[in-house]
Amino acid sequence: MLRLLVLAALVLCGQCYDGVQFMEDNTRVVGGTNAAKNAWPWQISLQYQSGSSWYHTCGGSLIRANRVLTAAHCVDRTVSFRVALGEHNLSQNDGTEQVISVSRIVKHASWNPNNVANGYDIAILYLASNAVLNSYVKLAALPSDGAVLANNYGCIITGWGRTSTNGSLPSILQQAPLPVVAHSTCSTSSYWGSTVKTTMVCAGGDGVTAGCNGDSGGPLNCAVNGVYQVHGIASFVSSLGCNAYLKPTVFTRVSAYISWINANV
């Protein structure tokens, strides 16, 4: 029966692999609320070109004036990309946006788009020019090398992802609380089992709030000593539904890749 459920999910989802679903494409956070304008100034909208138009596909975090951290699966397609910084409402000009083209993409050498459970869903985007840092556009703080947050640690996901599985597409940046689920719990058979590796972070799983399509690449924001750090890069959810019970949103654990990040910025 489980195999049939997985196969059904694969048929229904163009970006599903072995029961997981990537969270890219023009979509938003499940169970979230509108974020205050520019409350998350390192959050970017990754956009791709189709014809003469640009479309949101993923999130990301500005980590240098000309570098963005995102998920590798967000940039597997061969298209032109750009990032929008200082963005809040995708459907209007807020007067705070900076739009910069992506000049180079570096994906982790071990990333395999056909085996998401292997991990390494991480990429760095080189921007064609430096962003102007101000109150609307700021650099993300990253965790220390190897840092692991405790079970139930309070974090917040942000992004322009679906508000429900196959749901509506609000234009305003969303935010939702997602407490960390310890790897020792998330890797049990009741949760994700062996799909989840120690280089990943699980958060949520209560069946209410979750990441969804369009949130991929975006940050899991966790306050440490009063400063928000990007501890996760949104990677995948269950193909049974974005907020499937006991299937937390899974993130690439940023602290597992600090050396790789430093070598590529």
Side-chain angles (χ1 to χ4, degrees):
M1 179 60 71
L2 177 60
R3 182 62 176 170
L4 290 175
L5 287 172
V6 171
L7 288 175
L10 287 168
V11 170
L12 293 172
C13 174
Q15 278 284 10
C16 293
Y17 300 90
D18 294 333
V20 305
Q21 179 182 183
F22 291 141
M23 293 180 286
E24 63 178 324
D25 294 319
N26 185 25
T27 52
R28 297 157 169 95
V29 170
V30 174
T33 58
N34 290 349
K37 187 175 181 181
N38 305 115
W40 308 97
W42 48 87
Q43 170 89 44
I44 66 94
S45 166
L46 177 63
Q47 303 172 356
Y48 70 95
Q49 186 175 26
S50 179
S52 60
S53 299
W54 292 87
Y55 301 92
H56 171 83
T57 185
C58 282
S61 302
L62 187 69
I63 58 172
R64 300 287 189 277
N66 60 351
R67 299 286 190 273
V68 165
L69 190 64
T70 191
H73 77 260
C74 288
V75 287
D76 275 334
R77 70 180 87 182
T78 305
V79 293
S80 295
F81 289 103
R82 70 181 191 181
V83 301
L85 309 102
E87 185 63 88
H88 179 63
N89 188 330
L90 292 173
S91 66
Q92 68 182 37
N93 185 346
D94 296 306
T96 56
E97 300 90 344
Q98 298 177 42
V99 178
I100 306 176
S101 61
V102 174
S103 60
R104 181 186 174 197
I105 298 169
V106 177
K107 291 180 281 189
H108 197 287
S110 296
W111 165 246
N112 180 351
N114 296 314
N115 186 12
V116 63
N118 193 43
Y120 305 104
D121 191 8
I122 185 171
I124 291 176
L125 311 180
Y126 284 57
L127 305 186
S129 60
N130 287 352
V132 176
L133 303 182
N134 51 36
S135 59
Y136 309 112
V137 177
K138 296 181 180 180
L139 301 183
L142 300 184
S144 58
D145 189 9
V148 176
L149 297 176
N151 186 61
N152 210 38
Y153 198 99
C155 298
I156 297 174
I157 185 174
T158 52
W160 289 274
R162 289 191 188 272
T163 56
S164 62
T165 302
N166 300 318
S168 60
L169 313 177
S171 297
I172 295 174
L173 182 68
Q174 300 290 292
Q175 62 181 45
L178 280 189
V180 168
V181 178
H183 180 264
S184 58
T185 298
C186 198
S187 59
T188 62
S189 59
S190 298
Y191 284 74
W192 276 106
S194 61
T195 299
V196 169
K197 306 297 187 292
T198 58
T199 55
M200 302 174 184
V201 177
C202 297
D206 61 0
V208 179
T209 57
C212 203
N213 307 93
D215 291 324
S216 277
L220 180 66
N221 306 285
C222 308
V224 178
N225 296 324
V227 176
Y228 276 107
Q229 300 175 346
V230 174
H231 275 259
I233 301 168
S235 183
F236 61 86
V237 292
S238 174
S239 57
L240 300 177
C242 292
N243 57 332
Y245 184 59
L246 298 187
K247 288 293 184 287
T249 304
V250 180
F251 300 78
T252 299
R253 179 166 64 83
V254 173
S255 65
Y257 295 93
I258 295 298
S259 294
W260 181 85
I261 292 169
N262 289 338
N264 287 282
V265 296

